[in-house]
Amino acid sequence: MSSTRDELRHVMLGALFTPEVPLGPIRDLFITCHVSATGKGKLHGSPECRTLRSAASVNQIDVPFGEAVERLCASCRWPLPTGSPILPLGVAVSEVDSLTIWLDRETEDEEDIKAERDAALALAAGDYPPRAADSSDEEDEDDEAARDEEWERYERARNIRSRRHEHWRRLHSYLARSNEAVAEYPFLALWADGLQSRLATVLDEERRAFAALVQPVRLLEAAAVRVLPTPKFSDDPGFAGLGAEAEKTFRRAWYEWSRRAIWSWYRLEDQDFSVYTAVSDTFGRRRKGKPEAHAAFRRLTADWIRQAREEAARPVSTPWQLVAVKTPALTRTHHSEPERDPLTLWEAAVIATYQVAFNRKAGTTALLVPHLVAEQLLTCASDNMPVQRLAPEGSALPAEVLLEQWDHAKLTLS
């Protein structure tokens, strides 16, 4: 079996390491380079580099990495052993340097701003156009065209919100990974600080833009669904067509509706498709009793929504709570697959909407949230996303200070 010491990775050091990047103790490590006989000019990773073809002869020399950096050829690849400490440092440097691609952004034009405003107006009413009243078969062509245009408007609005959400999460992930790089190599901190500070400003702008497209009341109502008791099955004349499958369909409809409602930023009424699907799947191709069953389940869903809104409006002794969250980065996958987001839509919207303080170096956020929202966050906290109340005994310290004092690492380990 061959030794891993014989394995090499070929890295474009000149494209990765620039003179302003701190090297720490790695600067004293020698690397093998190739240079023209004069000893001047760029240092190369291979004698085959095209810029050396005109040289009368080529010499191989060993140079301290710190001295070589300013002269590294940007086109060459250096063969490095897999155990070389330059390799993990290069990964860390890349994580920090990648922040630069998000800093020089084009300003939004008037058309983009107008589209965002219209999206906010549309989504304030719901994610889909209001249901039209029953109309005759001879619907006016102008009415049909207007209806189609309204559907397109809402689709654009949802797409704008999704893009804002995805971009905010991507920026957060880049910042989080750069923090991990600095934690591993503290000597990178001074170089990284300026880039991270600028990215944090862009990140907050994206968060605010995303939050403007989310309705806080829907997040509260979603949390209210979680505390509703599981409804008891009670036969309804409208269930007749379901026969012996009525109770099973009832339980499936509740499960699907409540699960989707709890973890979404959608209006509760916009979750009714899951109930419709549960009923339709039970009927299959059968038609007898199907319209009556759908009508019965619409009444049920309306009652669940009513109960959730009553729960959301119920007064509590501590209506608002201050909690801390460490938001996870996107989960990396294979190069051919998109990154996965460990956050649900509800969690992402809550974090963006209720932020009152953000510690960019620790990647932690303080949220001032309604009681039900706090309870859902705390109940569903995980090692992947630690959550804890800040100042449960009523400290008067600012949220920024409390957040800085929060030891989320200890909470995760415990």
Side-chain angles (χ1 to χ4, degrees):
M1 183 174 178
S2 62
S3 169
T4 55
R5 289 179 297 178
D6 299 328
E7 298 175 7
L8 298 174
R9 288 186 57 188
H10 294 76
V11 183
M12 297 179 70
L13 297 179
L16 187 58
F17 291 94
T18 53
E20 64 269 17
V21 175
L23 301 175
I26 308 295
R27 68 177 296 103
D28 298 323
L29 187 71
F30 280 81
I31 62 168
T32 299
C33 301
H34 298 84
V35 66
S36 65
T38 64
K40 298 179 180 180
K42 293 290 186 181
L43 299 175
H44 302 272
S46 168
E48 305 300 323
C49 180
R50 63 177 181 272
T51 59
L52 287 174
R53 290 174 185 170
S54 59
S57 61
V58 176
N59 295 330
Q60 178 176 304
I61 58 175
D62 290 336
V63 187
F65 193 40
E67 295 179 17
V69 164
E70 293 189 14
R71 297 174 58 192
L72 295 176
C73 173
S75 303
C76 278
R77 293 181 182 272
W78 269 258
L80 300 177
T82 54
S84 170
I86 294 177
L87 294 176
L89 175 60
V91 173
V93 168
S94 180
E95 295 288 14
V96 175
D97 188 61
S98 63
L99 303 184
T100 58
I101 67 176
W102 305 106
L103 298 178
D104 297 325
R105 304 173 306 152
E106 294 182 3
T107 56
E108 293 184 332
D109 58 27
E110 189 60 36
E111 196 70 24
D112 292 331
I113 295 172
K114 183 179 178 181
E116 294 256 350
R117 288 173 180 164
D118 184 67
L121 286 172
L123 296 172
D127 278 70
Y128 302 93
R131 288 186 174 89
D134 293 337
S135 56
S136 65
D137 293 337
E138 298 180 358
E139 185 177 3
D140 187 276
E141 288 185 7
D142 290 340
D143 291 341
E144 186 176 351
R147 185 71 177 163
D148 290 344
E149 188 175 319
E150 189 71 353
W151 274 94
E152 290 174 3
R153 178 196 180 206
Y154 275 80
E155 184 177 9
R156 283 194 303 271
R158 293 194 303 273
N159 288 338
I160 288 172
R161 182 181 57 196
S162 292
R163 287 197 299 271
R164 284 294 191 184
H165 165 231
E166 291 166 5
H167 191 48
W168 169 64
R169 289 291 292 130
R170 192 175 299 114
L171 289 177
H172 176 273
S173 299
Y174 272 75
L175 182 61
R177 290 166 188 160
S178 73
N179 280 331
E180 292 172 3
V182 171
E184 188 173 358
Y185 296 98
F187 55 81
L188 294 177
L190 189 61
W191 168 62
D193 188 67
L195 292 174
Q196 291 178 326
S197 178
R198 291 171 60 199
L199 186 77
T201 300
V202 177
L203 176 65
D204 195 57
E205 290 173 0
E206 284 297 322
R207 177 191 67 82
R208 292 174 184 274
F210 164 50
L213 301 169
V214 175
Q215 298 300 309
V217 66
R218 293 176 197 159
L219 306 177
L220 177 60
E221 290 172 356
V225 172
R226 188 186 64 84
V227 299
L228 292 182
T230 302
K232 295 184 182 298
F233 175 73
S234 178
D235 209 351
D236 183 294
F239 296 167
L242 293 166
E245 296 291 306
E247 184 172 358
K248 181 180 177 180
T249 304
F250 174 89
R251 300 197 182 285
R252 181 188 167 194
W254 164 255
Y255 171 77
E256 293 292 341
W257 181 85
S258 61
R259 179 177 63 87
R260 292 173 186 272
I262 289 169
W263 296 114
S264 175
W265 58 44
Y266 281 30
R267 197 175 57 146
L268 295 181
E269 285 85 351
D270 291 333
Q271 304 291 350
D272 61 359
F273 185 72
S274 58
V275 177
Y276 179 88
T277 301
V279 175
S280 295
D281 287 349
T282 301
F283 273 94
R285 294 185 177 182
R286 291 186 294 116
R287 296 288 306 165
K288 186 176 180 181
K290 191 173 182 179
E292 293 80 3
H294 279 306
F297 272 93
R298 280 195 296 272
R299 292 191 295 272
L300 268 177
T301 307
D303 189 52
W304 297 341
I305 293 172
R306 177 190 58 77
Q307 292 178 50
R309 288 185 173 146
E310 288 177 355
E311 185 65 39
R314 190 187 306 277
V316 292
S317 58
T318 52
W320 290 79
Q321 297 183 39
L322 189 65
V323 299
V325 177
K326 181 166 175 63
T327 310
L330 299 174
T331 303
R332 281 175 163 159
T333 57
H334 297 295
H335 292 298
S336 58
E337 300 176 1
E339 294 179 311
R340 298 192 186 97
D341 195 341
L343 292 185
T344 64
L345 298 181
W346 183 87
E347 289 169 329
V350 164
I351 292 168
T353 299
Y354 294 106
Q355 176 178 311
V356 292
F358 179 63
N359 187 324
R360 66 173 174 84
K361 293 185 177 180
T364 54
T365 307
L367 309 174
L368 185 61
V369 295
H371 169 76
L372 284 173
V373 174
E375 292 305 309
Q376 179 155 317
L377 283 170
L378 291 160
T379 302
C380 302
S382 65
D383 289 349
N384 192 41
M385 192 179 80
V387 182
Q388 191 171 16
R389 285 188 180 89
L390 284 178
E393 297 179 0
S395 171
L397 289 174
E400 292 86 351
V401 176
L402 293 170
L403 189 61
E404 189 173 346
Q405 295 174 348
W406 182 44
D407 189 354
H408 57 83
K410 182 178 179 181
L411 175 67
T412 302
L413 291 172
S414 63

